[in-house]
Amino acid sequence: GDLNFRTLFHPDKGEKNDTTHEDNVERALNLINEQKYLHLYYYDELTRGLERGDLLFNFNTLPCNFPPTFKVERKEGFVYKKQRVPSYTDRILFKSSDGLGKYLKPLAYEPCVDFVTSDHKPIRAAFSIRSNKDIDPVHILGKHTVTISSMKCHNLRSSDINGKSDPYLMFLFESTDLITENKSIMDALYSSISRIIP
């Protein structure tokens, strides 16, 4: 999506930051013309924030080894408007559960160059993933507690098909580390529902 993070050229330690907007635009355009996209990506605000853990904790993004996606003319290709420093504002973020990141493999990450209805070029990606049924359970050591308090519910239906039992809430969490008799909790739930409702 359009996350609106920008290219921020920061000075080296001890240097004064006295560059103008025009200087920064020119610097970015020079890197683009030389196809030094990863050098420009080094100054990406989102990437720096993710590395420091300042935002979107545990989310990942892929390196942008292509021209920046903003701010461009509404035409095919990349013609940059100089009101903004060319930036990688359009990104795809992803996240994996603990121990499962190795089952997510990026295959492609690129801008939609022919997109012409915006001053952004959207990003597309392709990933190879393995489904939960093909993954061995992940065991996370330690004791975990979930506390729910001050909950209020209204207009709950009765929980029996005949409508005579008291209503109740059921909390379900689907994870590969919650295994009962070689079935996930969701499999067990679906199995029990199918016995009640043919």
Side-chain angles (χ1 to χ4, degrees), residues 61-166:
T61 187
L62 296 170
C64 298
N65 195 12
F66 47 77
T69 58
F70 175 82
K71 181 174 178 89
V72 296
E73 300 282 346
R74 295 174 191 243
K75 56 176 72 172
E76 291 183 11
F78 294 92
V79 178
Y80 294 96
K81 295 183 177 183
K82 294 190 176 183
Q83 299 103 312
R84 301 282 186 272
V85 177
S87 298
Y88 296 104
T89 60
D90 307 278
R91 306 294 277 281
I92 294 174
L93 297 172
F94 57 94
K95 181 177 181 179
S96 297
S97 296
D98 289 344
L100 299 179
K102 63 186 174 185
Y103 300 113
L104 177 71
K105 305 280 185 208
L107 303 175
Y109 190 56
E110 61 191 11
C112 301
V113 179
D114 298 335
F115 190 80
V116 297
T117 59
S118 171
D119 57 0
H120 293 257
K121 298 291 184 184
I123 295 296
R124 62 184 168 205
F127 295 89
S128 168
I129 60 173
R130 290 180 62 186
S131 68
N132 285 354
K133 68 179 183 173
D134 297 328
I135 297 174
D136 292 330
V138 174
H139 301 283
I140 300 173
L141 301 176
K143 184 176 179 180
H144 306 281
T145 303
V146 176
T147 303
I148 300 170
S149 63
S150 302
M151 178 180 288
K152 295 180 181 180
C153 301
H154 302 279
N155 301 322
L156 295 176
R157 291 181 179 175
S158 61
S159 302
D160 246 347
I161 291 177
N162 65 12
K164 296 188 179 188
S165 70
D166 293 331

Side-chain angles (χ1 to χ4, degrees), residues 2-117:
D2 174 10
L3 301 182
N4 220 20
F5 289 96
R6 304 300 173 90
T7 298
L8 295 179
F9 292 116
H10 49 79
D12 292 330
K13 287 185 179 177
E15 289 183 2
K16 200 166 71 170
N17 188 7
D18 56 359
T19 58
T20 66
H21 169 76
E22 291 75 18
D23 293 336
N24 289 331
V25 170
E26 195 62 33
R27 183 175 179 184
L29 290 174
N30 287 337
L31 290 171
I32 294 165
N33 290 335
E34 295 170 13
Q35 296 185 1
K36 293 183 176 178
Y37 306 128
L38 292 176
H39 189 94
L40 183 62
Y41 174 74
Y42 172 79
Y43 298 101
D44 174 61
E45 185 181 19
L46 172 64
T47 304
R48 299 290 75 76
L50 290 173
E51 287 175 353
R52 288 190 307 264
D54 293 344
L55 47 91
L56 300 164
F57 187 69
N58 278 343
F59 277 87
N60 297 294
T61 187
L62 296 170
C64 298
N65 195 12
F66 47 77
T69 58
F70 175 82
K71 181 174 178 89
V72 296
E73 300 282 346
R74 295 174 191 243
K75 56 176 72 172
E76 291 183 11
F78 294 92
V79 178
Y80 294 96
K81 295 183 177 183
K82 294 190 176 183
Q83 299 103 312
R84 301 282 186 272
V85 177
S87 298
Y88 296 104
T89 60
D90 307 278
R91 306 294 277 281
I92 294 174
L93 297 172
F94 57 94
K95 181 177 181 179
S96 297
S97 296
D98 289 344
L100 299 179
K102 63 186 174 185
Y103 300 113
L104 177 71
K105 305 280 185 208
L107 303 175
Y109 190 56
E110 61 191 11
C112 301
V113 179
D114 298 335
F115 190 80
V116 297
T117 59

Side-chain angles (χ1 to χ4, degrees), residues 170-190:
M170 181 186 309
F171 296 91
L172 301 173
F173 178 76
E174 169 67 320
S175 176
T176 56
D177 62 342
L178 295 176
I179 303 295
T180 306
E181 300 174 353
N182 294 328
K183 287 186 178 180
S184 73
I185 287 178
M186 291 307 289
D187 289 339
L189 175 65
Y190 293 138

